[in-house]
Amino acid sequence: MIDLRLLREDPDRVRASQRARGEDVALVDALLSADERRRSSGVRFDALRAEQKQLGKLIPKASGDEKAELLKKTGQLAADVKAADAERDAADAETQELLLRLGNLVHRDVPVGGEEDFVTLETHGTIRDFGAEGFEPKDHLELGTLLGAIDVERGAKVSGSRFYFLTGVGALLELALVNAAIAQATAAGFTPMLTPALVRPQSMAGTGFLGQAAQDVYHLDKDDLYLVGTSEVPLAAYHMDEILDADKLPLRYAGFSPCFRREAGSHGKDTRGIFRVHQFDKVEMFSYVAPEDSEAEHQRLLGWEKQWLTSLELPFRVIDVATGDLGASAARKFDCEAWIPTQRKYRELTSTSDCTEFQSRRLSIRVRDGKQVKPLATLNGTLCAVPRTIVAILENHQQADGSVYVPKVLRPYLGGLEVLEPVAK
């Protein structure tokens, strides 16, 4: 959530942010009104309680008609205090409810617009000319079938659409990717973490995933637990309700977990293969830093993502995501999109978001710097979303005979294997 003091001091900035996101601007004025009622009712409650205490001191000293009058006044005052307390609680609840619906303030440099209004910042690698090489590229599902690596038919039989099995060398390729990603993250100073896949509602809400993203989340009604769509959720909630020492920052974690997404609204999109699925594994970077360091940390996370995709020898571009495509918790987001030959376009492989103080305020995570205790900044960055990375590797590194070149960074985790060979013709 944002700082209420900032809302009061500069409501136009908050309105502009909501407008840029394509969200309800009227929410800002409703929140300002609720906050004013919360504060005024709080002042009234405090004044009545003070008067009530003062009367309580006078009654023992009074007698006769004076005491009777004071007792009568005390009874009325008790009713007024109770009403003021209820009014304060109601205004506070409304303020908190509205505050939780408000997105993070977008960064001043974020391009304004919808999904297609991003700005391309960098392009890396060379897109292969398969025509010049004399063959038409196969898509990842055809290659995965030839390699005995991907089985979507049995995935659908067992679990339904958008589920899959990774088999044989496909399973080994996932393990190689995860191990290589964790090795890079560990070398960069991240603490490896295996995180829970089920979290409580406060963890999901605190990270901002029960607002606009709620339709994409799996909920277990009987247990009131949520399946995470990313290990960002348990990693953000890891220090919930804690005060961290400033000299311990930055704290950096690399979480490996299964991820579950309904993919609501994606009907008809990426239905072939394993690019868009309901369950997948991912290595996620997560940072806790001082608020003034968040922009620099955002660039570092992007640098580690670029290092990873470069080590996989993939052509990719970096985009600055537009305001309407940010997600509630992000002030700014960079995506790295790899070239997918058979789709003839770039597709998102990694993403990194600067959430500033938005999540830490919701999760009550603070930092102690000397005598000052204040919210800190949180950031997240995908290092390896496994299925999409496999898609990019198979399609970009395929050979004419259906074999697939193995990037050098993965070979130590595949027993030195340099080429994945077809097992079925």
Side-chain angles (χ1 to χ4, degrees):
M1 63 181 71
I2 69 167
D3 185 352
L4 268 174
R5 184 174 55 184
L6 187 152
L7 174 73
R8 296 184 208 115
E9 293 174 353
D10 195 358
D12 285 342
R13 181 183 170 194
V14 185
R15 291 187 187 99
S17 178
Q18 282 290 97
R19 192 174 297 111
R21 285 179 172 276
E23 299 290 339
D24 184 12
V25 177
L27 179 61
V28 177
D29 294 310
L31 181 52
L32 282 168
S33 176
D35 180 50
E36 175 57 34
R37 290 196 303 276
R38 178 185 68 87
R39 289 188 294 151
S40 61
S41 61
V43 169
R44 183 167 184 268
F45 172 80
D46 291 340
L48 288 169
R49 279 288 291 144
E51 186 179 351
Q52 190 180 41
K53 289 178 181 178
Q54 187 63 31
L55 275 178
K57 294 177 182 178
L58 295 176
I59 289 173
K61 301 175 184 178
S63 60
D65 291 343
E66 181 187 5
K67 187 169 187 176
E69 184 63 29
L70 287 174
L71 287 170
K72 180 180 178 182
K73 191 173 182 180
T74 298
Q76 180 58 50
L77 201 54
D80 291 343
V81 167
K82 185 176 181 180
D85 190 26
E87 183 182 350
R88 182 188 61 174
D89 288 347
D92 184 62
E94 183 182 358
T95 300
Q96 291 302 311
E97 189 271 331
L98 292 171
L99 193 55
L100 288 173
R101 287 167 52 192
L102 199 65
N104 199 357
L105 293 179
V106 297
H107 188 278
R108 59 190 177 277
D109 294 333
V110 175
V112 176
E115 185 177 355
E116 300 303 321
D117 295 309
F118 61 84
V119 172
T120 301
L121 301 177
E122 308 169 28
T123 303
H124 297 265
T126 302
I127 295 173
R128 285 174 65 184
D129 184 348
F130 286 94
E133 294 181 35
F135 72 100
E136 187 72 20
K138 300 176 177 64
D139 74 10
H140 73 277
L141 185 55
E142 186 176 358
L143 289 163
T145 302
L146 287 171
L147 297 168
I150 301 171
D151 192 334
V152 294
E153 290 184 3
R154 290 185 175 90
K157 177 180 70 174
V158 171
S159 302
S161 63
R162 297 190 191 275
F163 287 93
Y164 61 97
F165 284 87
L166 291 181
T167 58
V169 74
L172 295 176
L173 185 54
E174 158 149 352
L175 295 173
L177 284 165
V178 170
N179 277 288
I182 289 292
Q184 178 189 301
T186 304
F190 286 79
T191 300
M193 304 276 277
L194 297 178
T195 62
L198 288 166
V199 297
R200 292 175 170 174
Q202 57 264 45
S203 299
M204 193 68 83
T207 43
F209 284 92
L210 290 187
Q212 63 189 150
Q215 64 173 350
D216 222 21
V217 174
Y218 286 100
H219 182 230
L220 280 66
D221 293 319
K222 185 176 180 180
D223 305 284
D224 197 18
L225 292 171
Y226 289 89
L227 283 166
V228 299
T230 167
S231 59
E232 172 192 344
V233 175
L235 291 174
Y238 185 64
H239 289 296
M240 180 169 54
D241 299 323
E242 295 181 22
I243 298 175
L244 307 175
D245 291 329
D247 59 5
K248 298 288 179 64
L249 301 181
L251 288 173
R252 297 187 179 110
Y253 301 118
F256 172 65
S257 76
C259 305
F260 303 87
R261 301 184 183 182
R262 289 187 180 278
E263 291 296 344
S266 67
H267 304 293
K269 297 179 182 177
D270 302 307
T271 55
R272 180 172 168 81
I274 62 171
F275 190 85
R276 190 184 298 273
V277 291
H278 289 309
Q279 178 184 340
F280 61 96
D281 295 326
K282 180 157 68 84
V283 176
E284 181 81 4
M285 301 178 289
F286 197 89
S287 299
Y288 295 85
V289 302
E292 60 270 21
D293 294 334
S294 72
E295 289 191 37
E297 183 71 4
H298 200 196
Q299 290 295 329
R300 283 189 284 267
L301 288 168
L302 177 60
W304 285 312
E305 291 180 345
K306 288 156 58 178
Q307 176 189 341
W308 171 244
L309 296 179
T310 299
S311 74
L312 294 176
E313 304 172 48
L314 295 172
F316 67 96
R317 70 180 180 185
V318 179
I319 67 168
D320 198 350
V321 175
T323 53
D325 199 31
L326 278 180
S329 61
R332 192 175 194 181
K333 181 168 73 166
F334 302 124
D335 284 355
C336 291
E337 300 182 327
W339 179 257
I340 306 299
T342 60
Q343 296 186 21
R344 300 196 60 78
K345 59 183 175 181
Y346 289 99
R347 301 299 304 272
E348 178 194 337
L349 247 60
T350 73
S351 181
T352 177
S353 296
D354 181 358
C355 297
T356 60
E357 301 170 19
F358 186 82
Q359 292 176 331
S360 68
R361 288 182 181 277
R362 296 163 75 106
L363 292 165
S364 188
I365 308 169
R366 294 170 291 167
V367 59
R368 179 182 286 108
D369 190 358
K371 293 183 179 180
Q372 186 181 20
V373 176
K374 60 183 181 181
L376 43 65
T378 61
L379 302 95
N380 62 80
T382 312
L383 191 53
C384 181
V386 172
R388 291 192 176 194
T389 306
I390 288 177
V391 169
I393 287 173
L394 294 184
E395 293 209 12
N396 281 284
H397 295 319
Q398 65 180 291
Q399 309 301 316
D401 62 355
S403 63
V404 175
Y405 163 85
V406 177
K408 293 181 179 63
V409 71
L410 298 180
R411 293 176 187 175
Y413 306 99
L414 286 168
L417 201 62
E418 297 182 7
V419 177
L420 307 180
E421 298 284 358
V423 296
K425 297 292 185 181

